[in-house]
């Protein structure tokens, strides 16, 4: 999956891998169709790329169980 957008400090992007909805600040901004990735409950590897030569970045990923 490739996501191109300009995000400001503190902005949140949420990807629902079951529905394909991509939310930015809680608002659906994109509906993805096709195969999406699945996350395992333990360790996962996610790659982030950026076109900027240097940047201070804090990236937080949160995994939520679909069924509890």
């Amino acid at each position: 999956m490739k996501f191109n957008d300009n995000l400001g400090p503190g902005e949140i992007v949420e990807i629902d891998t079951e529905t394909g909805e991509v939310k930015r600040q809680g608002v659906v901004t994109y509906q993805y169709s096709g195969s999406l990735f699945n996350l395992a409950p333990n360790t996962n590897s996610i790659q982030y790329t950026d076109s900027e030569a240097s940047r201070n970045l804090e990236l937080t990923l949160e995994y939520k169980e679909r069924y509890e």
Side-chain angles (χ1 to χ4, degrees), residues 1-62:
M1 170 181 236
K2 188 173 188 176
F3 178 78
N4 292 313
D5 204 345
N6 294 317
L7 300 174
E11 286 194 273
I12 297 171
V13 174
E14 180 182 343
I15 302 168
D16 186 321
T17 59
E18 184 175 13
T19 66
E21 287 183 342
V22 178
K23 294 181 182 178
R24 182 175 175 183
Q25 298 301 108
V27 177
V28 177
T29 57
Y30 186 72
Q31 182 69 44
Y32 187 82
S33 61
S35 296
L36 291 173
F37 57 90
N38 289 314
L39 297 175
N42 297 311
T43 302
N44 295 274
S45 177
I46 296 185
Q47 181 179 1
Y48 169 84
T49 58
D50 193 322
S51 62
E52 293 293 321
S54 66
R55 175 189 309 277
N56 291 327
L57 174 75
E58 180 180 330
L59 181 64
T60 304
L61 300 172
E62 181 178 323

